[in-house]
Amino acid sequence: MDLISVREVRVARNRDDIVFAPGEQPLGGGTWLFSEEQDGLTGLVDLTGMGWPSITETDAALTISATSTIADLAALTPADLRSDPLAGGRDRGIGDARALFWQCANSLLASFKIWNVATVGGNIATALPAGPMTSLAAALDATAIIWTADDGERTLPVADLVTGVRQTALAPGEVLRAIEIPRSSLESRTGFRRIALSPLGRTGTMVIARASASGASPEVVFTVTGGTTRPVQLRFDEPPSAAALERALLGIDCWYTDPHGAADWRRAMSARFAEELRAELQ
Ligand SMILES: Cc1cc2nc3c(=O)[nH]c(=O)nc-3n(C[C@H](O)[C@H](O)[C@H](O)COP(=O)(O)OP(=O)(O)OC[C@H]3O[C@@H](n4cnc5c(N)ncnc54)[C@H](O)[C@@H]3O)c2cc1C
């Protein structure tokens, strides 16, 4: 839609351009910003002009720029995982962590037009519970690289960046620069479950289980998103028993109700998915 209150759209070319006057906001792909009225918005600073490399990989980590698109991310999935229905399709199977790129991208149910412009940073910063890039990054213990308003940089686990429905820990003037996924997470085994109220509906709840590939530290992490107002991680030093997992799930206090699902349904489905994944990981 037209945002008739917007007076100026500036394209950022270097860091000095990333400053925000009152009423200005960063622009990623614009798929959320231009989807509804934005009270008080007078200007946009287009981050895609920064030319950040979409994805870089080192021995230690995979760095995904905030301006990477959902399509860039889906393309990271090895072709065999993309074509494998167990990995990419119907929420089944424990496998390579890279299958998650495909599974999470497919959880943003939109046309190729949206996939090719919607950004990873925009998805996380929008902080919708059903934000699949938040789910992916939180489940893989990614770190958010944040550019601060005073030209500095700080880091925060993505799981802690989204603090509630449409709420983040970003301070005014801060932008998400990138997310960094540690190599150890990429080498983990993962399992994925997602449900929505209708076949093409927005996520009701999503549970991702991740087991460390290292025998020395057999950490198992369950990440719940979509059904909760913010990402919730349940960590275990060793594969949990069914009772231990159930106890941990009972401690979650941020189930919520909206048109995409009721809190009790979300809690029940998440518990069922977590138990299925626990059994599969073993
Ligand atoms: C058909 C359709 C289906 C959708 N399905 C889903 C869904 O299932 N789940 C979901 O979460 N969303 C969904 N969306 C909403 C939206 O498209 C996505 O959240 C998308 O990823 C937003 O990315 P963007 O780059 O377009 O963000 P923009 O619209 O450009 O920005 C969104 C917000 O993030 C801020 N922002 C952008 N980049 C940064 C940055 N680097 N640092 C700090 N702040 C930033 C902007 O200022 C703005 O407040 C859907 C949209 C459509 C049209």
Side-chain angles (χ1 to χ4, degrees):
M1 66 179 294
D2 291 340
L3 296 175
I4 56 172
S5 59
V6 171
R7 295 278 163 258
E8 192 183 12
V9 178
R10 288 186 286 115
V11 179
R13 301 281 177 207
N14 57 59
R15 184 143 186 194
D16 292 343
D17 296 332
I18 304 184
V19 284
F20 303 95
E24 289 187 337
Q25 273 190 43
L27 171 65
T31 61
W32 180 80
L33 275 168
F34 288 93
S35 71
E36 59 183 62
E37 232 174 281
Q38 304 289 342
D39 278 346
L41 183 71
T42 56
L44 290 166
V45 179
D46 185 348
L47 301 179
T48 62
M50 292 294 288
W52 293 327
S54 177
I55 289 154
T56 44
E57 193 162 6
T58 65
D59 286 347
L62 183 75
T63 302
I64 300 170
S65 284
T67 46
S68 295
T69 62
I70 308 288
D72 290 339
L73 203 93
L76 277 179
T77 316
D80 56 331
L81 294 175
R82 251 178 282 164
S83 59
D84 175 357
L86 293 183
R90 299 311 311 172
D91 314 351
R92 288 283 178 268
I94 298 293
D96 190 311
R98 286 176 191 254
L100 279 182
F101 294 119
W102 187 248
Q103 289 161 324
C104 290
N106 273 287
S107 300
L108 196 143
L109 290 161
S111 70
F112 71 93
K113 289 181 285 185
I114 301 294
W115 262 39
N116 279 296
V117 287
T119 64
V120 171
N123 188 256
I124 295 171
T126 304
L128 296 172
M133 298 300 110
T134 305
S135 314
L136 173 79
L140 293 178
D141 279 347
T143 299
I145 316 287
I146 298 166
W147 277 6
T148 58
D150 58 1
D151 268 359
E153 190 174 293
R154 68 182 178 105
T155 58
L156 193 67
V158 174
D160 296 336
L161 178 66
V162 173
T163 54
V165 181
R166 306 268 7 270
Q167 287 171 14
T168 69
L170 290 173
E174 288 188 333
V175 298
L176 181 58
R177 164 65 184 84
I179 60 166
E180 213 171 74
I181 302 175
R183 163 83 42 202
S184 54
S185 293
L186 295 172
E187 289 169 354
S188 308
R189 289 184 306 137
T190 60
F192 171 93
R193 292 287 191 286
R194 171 185 180 274
I195 193 167
L197 284 177
S198 61
L200 297 180
R202 196 160 279 195
T203 301
T205 196
M206 186 191 291
V207 182
I208 297 173
R210 187 168 63 75
S212 158
S214 148
S217 56
E219 189 185 39
V220 178
V221 185
F222 294 81
T223 302
V224 183
T225 50
T228 50
T229 54
R230 54 184 164 75
V232 175
Q233 290 192 290
L234 309 174
R235 287 183 181 274
F236 301 89
D237 291 338
E238 54 186 33
S241 64
L245 180 58
E246 193 184 346
R247 264 197 310 280
L249 281 157
L250 283 173
I252 297 178
D253 60 359
C254 55
W255 303 109
Y256 82 114
T257 295
D258 75 352
H260 305 292
D264 57 350
W265 171 73
R266 287 174 145 145
R267 187 180 56 232
M269 292 313 301
S270 304
R272 175 174 158 183
F273 289 163
E275 175 50 25
E276 286 176 7
L277 291 167
R278 186 195 70 82
E280 281 175 29
L281 279 171
Q282 284 184 341

